[in-house]
Amino acid sequence: MRGGDAVIRALEKEGVRYISGFAGGGLAPLWPALRDSKTIQAFAARHERLGVEIADGYARATGQVGVAMTGTGPGATNTLTGIAGCYADNIPVLLLMGQVAQRNLGKEYQQEVSSSIFDTLVKWKGTFTRVEQIPDIMRRAFTALRSGSPGPVVLEMPQDVLTAEAPDEVLNSYRPVGPGRKAAPDQREIDRAADILVGANFPILNAGGGALAADAAEELKELAELLSMPVATTLMGKSVFPEDHPLSLGLGVYPRSRFATGTAIHINRKADVVLAVGNSFRMPNGTDGRPLPSHVKLIHVNADPADLNKVYQADVAILADAKLALQSLIEAVRDRLGPGRGGLREEVVAEIQQAKAKWLGERTPVFTDTSMPTNGYRVVYDLMQVVDRDKTIAVHDAGGSRGYLAPFWVATRPRNFVAMGGMAAMGWSMGAAVGAKLARPDHLVFHLIGDASFGMTGMEVETAVRMGIPTLTIVVNDGGTGGGLMGMDRPGGTPPSIAQLGGNFSVVAQGLGAYSERVEQPSELIPAFRRAIRATEEGQAALVEVMIKSMRTPDLPDDWSL
């Protein structure tokens, strides 16, 4: 057996279904086994970065490992942005990196780039130096991908190692690593946390991306209901708790974070204990960094020791997998409450609902504004009227489109909102939506993206068309870069020649083979969305371009979502 065959056989045994990326130097030894594979489909993206981001979207939508590939040199450097996004948000993506033959390394061979470019952006990196090593290195890679706090892994594959041969019994000896290893909590810390929670006057629960990664949705809901704890999430944790639940605050963890809802801001002021589960306290999406009041106790659960006591010193710091920690906390709390105690408190639910009604009521005029051009918030509001949210996956992009969507979209099921936060790369949602649709073909998958971001990555519409992956792209077009347009008229603002952009992207999408239309009248939003959704149901990728006003105008003040 050759080394390239051994790599693909290991991926098959690990249950990998898709590899996205682009053909390039060093990857040819993989082709024979990929062509013969009955379980893995490999396909080309239009750019190596998007190949990683397709795998990224697949991983975020499933919690499973996404796999991407890239060739040598410029192919590898093109993936850096995608891998950085996975690292920042703890996403398990495996990148197979082609490399020149070992005998040519260090000789400035054409397209030679060392895998050291990834050193600060990965959880683990391995290099095949001998063909016999491949099973061992693949095992270490999947152990890193599935154990502890997730993150990306890069495997550097010199071409001569992939073409080398070794006995079948050596290269075919690979056995799947299974679900990985998760840290259980220290019972002493669980007991301390349970004592604090049961003795609290107004405890609240905050959930981050670590809770979603641990598949801890059921445990979160059980503990929240047991103690009648209002629940807010970080951007990365959005969807781990149903936002139509009477205890949901939406976005806005304690003390305050970006895209916080008015509901969360109101309730946070009442808290005396905060249970933060899987929250890294990354600024600004996980916290805005303001200090915790002295009377508020913090219980922090995280699988990564680097996140504990990083921004805030916890009264109880629990190093553990979120699901395992919550299971232990539930048991400890039940023991302390005793039979028949616990459950929703009517006064807590009533206050949440009143705060939510006030916050949304103040924004209804913008949601239903009939002026032209329309605004991005109405785009999101109207879309919510025509979809089944239980069967829809929403994907946001960077910049203004994230502000339009994230605070107001009501996520009802785990992983039916796909978020990114750490890097916030423009155009990320193009690939992420394709990956999410691959993962969840029975769901409508849409992504909201600005015109500037679409200009960077919009050719990926052709990938969706070519591969028969019917995503819905909604481009909100304000004629430039949102941040640049906001400050363009100020003396120190972005020059118009940089802030203002052009283009008719519905025409671009039509040329790429997608169903497309452009909307200028607000009253046409719902009919256009229905037509586009019907096209996706018939198997066609679709794009709706909506002409909108700039994010900050007199009727859309600064920090409008807060």
Side-chain angles (χ1 to χ4, degrees):
M1 182 179 286
R2 298 183 318 137
D5 302 331
V7 172
I8 301 305
R9 296 293 174 258
L11 296 177
E12 289 174 333
K13 291 178 180 179
E14 290 293 352
V16 172
R17 297 176 59 200
Y18 302 104
I19 303 176
S20 52
F22 202 80
L27 294 179
L30 302 180
W31 303 156
L34 276 175
R35 291 171 68 97
D36 291 341
S37 180
K38 301 295 190 295
T39 57
I40 297 178
Q41 182 179 19
F43 62 95
R46 299 299 304 222
H47 190 279
E48 291 90 350
R49 169 192 158 186
L50 275 295
V52 171
E53 290 171 348
I54 289 171
D56 180 2
Y58 179 90
R60 292 182 201 238
T62 61
Q64 300 172 13
V65 174
V67 182
M69 62 183 176
T70 182
T72 57
T77 60
N78 279 346
T79 66
L80 281 168
T81 296
I83 290 295
C86 295
Y87 183 71
D89 292 341
N90 301 109
I91 305 302
V93 165
L94 173 64
L95 176 63
L96 305 174
M97 174 191 168
Q99 183 57 283
V100 301
Q102 289 187 101
R103 64 180 177 274
N104 295 321
L105 288 174
K107 300 178 180 177
E108 298 184 353
Y109 199 80
Q110 179 175 288
Q111 295 193 337
E112 179 192 345
V113 170
S114 170
S115 65
S116 62
I117 59 173
F118 296 104
D119 281 353
T120 62
L121 299 174
V122 292
K123 182 178 180 182
W124 189 75
K125 179 171 66 70
T127 299
F128 301 151
T129 58
R130 294 184 297 109
V131 67
E132 295 83 3
Q133 290 180 321
I134 289 176
D136 291 342
I137 291 177
M138 295 293 289
R139 182 179 65 251
R140 294 184 66 186
F142 274 91
T143 299
L145 287 160
R146 292 186 178 139
S147 299
S149 185
V153 167
V154 171
L155 291 182
E156 183 180 31
M157 309 181 301
Q159 186 165 358
D160 53 347
V161 178
L162 293 184
T163 56
E165 295 183 354
D168 288 1
E169 59 269 21
V170 173
L171 294 190
N172 208 25
S173 64
Y174 185 83
R175 290 182 292 132
V177 302
R181 301 295 176 263
K182 309 296 182 184
D186 185 319
Q187 188 60 44
R188 293 169 298 181
E189 303 302 333
I190 291 293
D191 289 338
R192 289 180 59 205
D195 288 339
I196 293 172
L197 287 169
V198 171
N201 292 318
F202 203 101
I204 63 173
L205 198 163
N206 288 173
L212 195 60
D215 292 325
E218 288 302 317
E219 289 79 8
L220 276 169
K221 185 167 176 283
E222 184 176 353
L223 185 58
E225 291 177 347
L226 184 61
L227 290 170
S228 197
M229 287 194 292
V231 181
T233 72
T234 65
L235 182 63
M236 285 297 299
K238 186 177 172 75
S239 82
V240 73
F241 190 80
E243 292 181 327
D244 55 356
H245 190 283
L247 290 173
S248 173
L249 306 177
L251 292 178
V253 295
Y254 194 90
R256 185 158 163 172
S257 60
R258 197 175 187 187
F259 307 119
T261 67
T263 320
I265 291 170
H266 173 80
I267 295 296
N268 282 353
R269 297 190 184 107
K270 302 176 70 69
D272 62 339
V273 172
V274 179
L275 171 60
V277 181
N279 182 0
S280 69
F281 289 110
R282 174 190 286 271
M283 291 185 277
N285 298 322
T287 180
D288 64 359
R290 68 184 64 192
L292 299 183
S294 59
H295 72 279
V296 176
K297 292 187 179 297
L298 173 64
I299 302 165
H300 189 191
V301 178
N302 205 286
D304 187 348
D307 283 331
L308 295 173
N309 297 316
K310 178 178 68 178
V311 177
Y312 299 116
Q313 183 167 354
D315 293 273
V316 183
I318 302 174
L319 177 62
D321 174 75
K323 189 180 189 75
L324 297 179
L326 286 168
Q327 288 171 347
S328 296
L329 269 175
I330 290 167
E331 183 178 349
V333 166
R334 285 197 185 281
D335 286 345
R336 284 157 177 76
L337 289 176
R341 293 185 59 195
L344 298 188
R345 292 159 50 195
E346 290 184 8
E347 67 274 17
V348 173
V349 171
E351 185 157 4
I352 291 171
Q353 299 314 310
Q354 289 167 8
K356 187 176 297 184
K358 179 179 184 294
W359 175 64
L360 291 175
E362 292 170 348
R363 286 147 180 78
T364 297
V366 176
F367 293 151
T368 58
D369 181 19
T370 59
S371 66
M372 289 180 57
T374 191
N375 65 78
Y377 301 104
R378 173 155 186 179
V379 173
V380 172
Y381 181 81
D382 280 9
L383 182 61
M384 278 201 293
Q385 312 311 308
V386 299
V387 302
D388 178 355
R389 280 172 284 176
D390 288 345
K391 297 287 289 182
T392 298
I393 297 176
V395 186
H396 71 77
D397 208 87
S401 61
R402 179 169 57 174
Y404 298 137
L405 183 66
F408 304 106
W409 188 265
V410 178
T412 59
R413 302 286 178 87
R415 300 189 187 278
N416 71 358
F417 187 92
V418 174
M420 56 92 173
M423 283 293 112
M426 293 177 66
W428 168 86
S429 69
M430 286 299 313
V434 171
K437 185 66 175 178
L438 278 175
R440 311 271 289 280
D442 58 332
H443 282 56
L444 168 68
V445 176
F446 82 89
H447 66 113
L448 189 73
I449 185 171
D451 54 304
S453 291
F454 186 87
M456 291 188 176
T457 61
M459 289 299 290
E460 221 58 45
V461 167
E462 190 274 336
T463 302
V465 170
R466 168 170 35 91
M467 297 303 299
I469 304 169
T471 53
L472 171 58
T473 297
I474 300 173
V475 180
V476 283
N477 189 343
D478 61 2
T481 59
L485 292 172
M486 291 173 200
M488 189 173 64
D489 296 329
R490 295 196 295 263
T494 308
S497 60
I498 295 176
Q500 294 176 322
L501 302 169
N504 185 323
F505 299 113
S506 62
V507 174
V508 173
Q510 183 180 15
L512 296 174
Y515 173 88
S516 70
E517 55 181 291
R518 188 182 238 209
V519 177
E520 297 184 359
Q521 292 275 1
S523 60
E524 280 299 307
L525 282 169
I526 285 179
F529 289 150
R530 285 178 171 151
R531 289 188 291 268
I533 291 169
R534 191 176 309 118
T536 66
E537 292 170 346
E538 294 170 356
Q540 186 176 14
L543 180 143
V544 177
E545 179 181 19
V546 185
M547 306 307 294
I548 66 167
K549 64 186 71 176
S550 180
M551 194 171 187
R552 289 181 182 160
T553 63
D555 57 338
L556 296 177
D558 289 2
D559 296 328
W560 187 80
S561 67
L562 299 180

